Each structure stands twice: as structure tokens, then as C-alpha cells.
């Protein structure tokens, strides 16, 4: 009898005991808080990567357009190197690609053409608008860029048109935001350059230039 009373008393105390509620609440809330925290970090990292890619596109187009008088392979190499350094924090060189095209009117005045094209980055991807030489002898290229904001070069000058493509690298996991490939384009008119032919003053070998057939970080 005494034993049964003790058991009943113990059961009553257990029923009134609320000391473990906070522990249970903590255990339930941790996964939610952890998901929100990691998600916030991932969104911030995605935003940084997006800004970097946009900056790279603008930087390459602007710097290539600023080269005066004439442009050579060394100028392009320096421009590409600086751009990839901008993207070091998001591992751009290993997972992205910069495509720089010199857009000009063709000789027949029937459209535009890509006089030369140079690339950098390890990602295997081609220009959406064609390779070097496209439009030179025909009207297959009328402009570069989205239809609503298509870019054309004026007679006697050239436009440095840049395409940047990057496979987003998550900090946590692709499960939070999914796999994303970022794409940005930018264009700047050349300034004070009268010779649009790309030269090789340093006699660089193909492997030491930014040729589009090379895929390396």
C-alpha cells in the first residue's frame, strides 16, 4: 500500500514537472533557426557573386575600350587577369568564363561582324552571338545583346562586347537555392583607338594569349 502511494505521488510530481519544456522547445526550434541562418548566409553569398560577375563584365568591357591607338594580346591578358582577380572570392576563374568580342560594322555595310574574340576562364561555354569572324562576309550578324537592348557599332569605331558566364558555387549546399548559372553582358565603345586590329607585339604563343580555344583558370 505504501509503495503504491509512493508511485502515485511520483506520477503526480512528474505530471506537474515542467522543467523539460524549454529543452523540448529548443530541440524543436533549432532546425528552423539553423535553416534560416544558413539560408541567409547563402542568399548573401549569392548576392556577392552576382555583383562580382556584373563588375567583371563592366570592368573588362571598359578597360578594353580604354586602350588607345591600338590593342594587343598583352593588353587583353592584363585585362582578363585583373577581372579574374576580382572574382577570386567566388572562385570565378575555375567556374566561369569571360568572352570579349570586338564588334564592328562589316565592310559591305550589310551588318556587324566580330573582328576578334578573346576568352578567359575554365568554364566550357561559347558566345551566344557567334565566334570570331561571324558576319564579316554576310549579314548573319546585325547586333549583339538581347533584342530589346541590342548593341551595334558605328562606322569607323568598335564596341567591346563582354559576356560573363559563371556557375554559382554555394557555401552551404545547392539544396537551398538550387543550381544557378549567372550570365551578364556589358558593352563599351572604344575611346581614341583608330586601329581595331588586335596585334601581338610581344610575339606571344597561342598558349600565352587569351585565345578562346583555351579553357584554364
Amino acid at each position: 500500500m505504501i509503495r503504491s502511494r509512493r508511485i502515485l505521488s511520483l506520477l503526480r510530481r512528474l505530471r506537474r514537472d515542467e522543467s523539460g519544456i524549454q529543452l523540448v522547445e529548443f530541440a524543436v526550434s533549432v532546425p528552423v533557426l539553423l535553416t534560416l541562418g544558413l539560408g541567409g548566409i547563402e542568399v548573401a553569398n549569392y548576392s556577392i557573386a552576382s555583383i562580382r560577375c556584373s563588375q567583371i563584365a563592366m570592368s573588362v568591357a571598359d578597360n578594353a575600350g580604354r586602350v588607345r591607338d591600338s590593342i594587343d594580346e598583352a593588353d587583353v591578358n592584363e585585362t582578363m587577369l585583373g577581372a579574374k582577380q576580382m572574382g577570386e572570392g567566388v572562385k570565378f576563374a575555375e567556374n566561369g568564363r569571360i568572352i570579349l568580342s570586338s564588334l564592328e560594322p562589316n565592310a559591305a555595310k550589310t551588318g556587324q561582324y566580330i573582328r576578334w574574340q578573346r576568352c578567359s576562364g575554365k568554364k566550357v561555354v561559347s558566345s551566344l552571338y557567334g565566334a570570331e569572324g561571324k558576319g564579316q562576309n554576310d549579314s548573319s550578324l546585325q547586333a549583339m545583346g538581347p533584342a530589346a537592348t541590342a548593341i551595334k557599332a558605328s562606322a569607323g569605331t568598335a564596341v567591346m562586347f563582354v559576356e560573363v558566364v559563371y556557375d554559382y558555387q554555394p557555401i552551404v549546399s545547392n539544396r537551398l537555392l538550387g543550381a544557378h548559372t549567372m550570365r551578364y553582358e556589358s558593352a563599351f565603345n572604344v575611346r581614341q583607338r583608330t586601329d581595331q586590329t588586335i596585334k601581338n607585339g610581344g610575339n606571344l604563343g597561342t598558349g600565352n594569349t587569351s585565345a578562346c580555344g583555351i579553357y584554364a583558370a
Side-chain angles (χ1 to χ4, degrees):
M1 188 70 175
I2 295 175
R3 186 175 181 181
S4 62
R5 287 178 181 175
R6 289 178 179 176
I7 293 174
L8 289 173
S9 177
L10 176 62
L11 291 174
R12 291 190 188 100
R13 289 200 303 271
L14 287 174
R15 187 176 60 184
R16 294 194 300 267
D17 190 359
E18 297 180 355
S19 60
I21 289 179
Q22 292 181 345
L23 183 61
V24 173
E25 290 176 345
F26 179 74
V28 171
S29 62
V30 162
V32 177
L33 294 174
L34 187 61
T35 300
L36 290 174
L38 293 177
I41 292 172
E42 198 66 77
V43 169
N45 185 62
Y46 184 91
S47 298
I48 291 171
S50 179
I51 291 171
R52 285 285 183 274
C53 289
S54 176
Q55 290 175 334
I56 287 171
M58 288 189 293
S59 175
V60 172
D62 188 20
N63 290 337
R66 288 178 183 273
V67 180
R68 300 182 178 184
D69 301 325
S70 64
I71 189 169
D72 63 24
E73 300 287 359
D75 294 322
V76 174
N77 283 352
E78 290 178 6
T79 298
M80 295 294 194
L81 178 60
K84 288 190 291 186
Q85 288 177 342
M86 290 176 61
E88 283 183 347
V90 295
K91 299 181 180 179
F92 177 85
E94 296 86 351
N95 302 281
R97 186 77 163 168
I98 304 168
I99 304 171
L100 169 63
S101 302
S102 180
L103 180 67
E104 304 171 41
N106 61 20
K109 298 181 180 180
T110 58
Q112 304 274 297
Y113 89 106
I114 300 173
R115 180 187 285 269
W116 53 263
Q117 191 173 81
R118 295 295 181 269
C119 307
S120 187
K122 200 169 183 179
K123 180 175 173 60
V124 180
V125 64
S126 301
S127 169
L128 286 180
Y129 309 103
E132 180 176 313
K134 182 173 181 180
Q136 183 173 5
N137 301 311
D138 52 47
S139 59
S140 59
L141 183 64
Q142 294 297 314
M144 295 180 76
T149 56
I151 301 295
K152 291 184 179 182
S154 301
T157 187
V159 169
M160 297 291 97
F161 190 92
V162 175
E163 301 164 75
V164 167
V165 187
Y166 167 71
D167 291 331
Y168 174 65
Q169 301 301 297
I171 289 181
V172 182
S173 171
N174 271 332
R175 292 182 179 181
L176 292 175
L177 297 180
H180 285 273
T181 296
M182 299 179 179
R183 180 179 181 85
Y184 286 91
E185 297 177 352
S186 184
F188 276 81
N189 206 70
V190 300
R191 279 90 88 190
Q192 299 181 359
R193 188 157 78 226
T194 55
D195 187 353
Q196 310 304 338
T197 304
I198 190 166
K199 296 177 172 55
N200 191 1
N203 294 317
L204 300 176
T206 302
N208 294 319
T209 67
S210 298
C212 288
I214 299 173
Y215 298 90

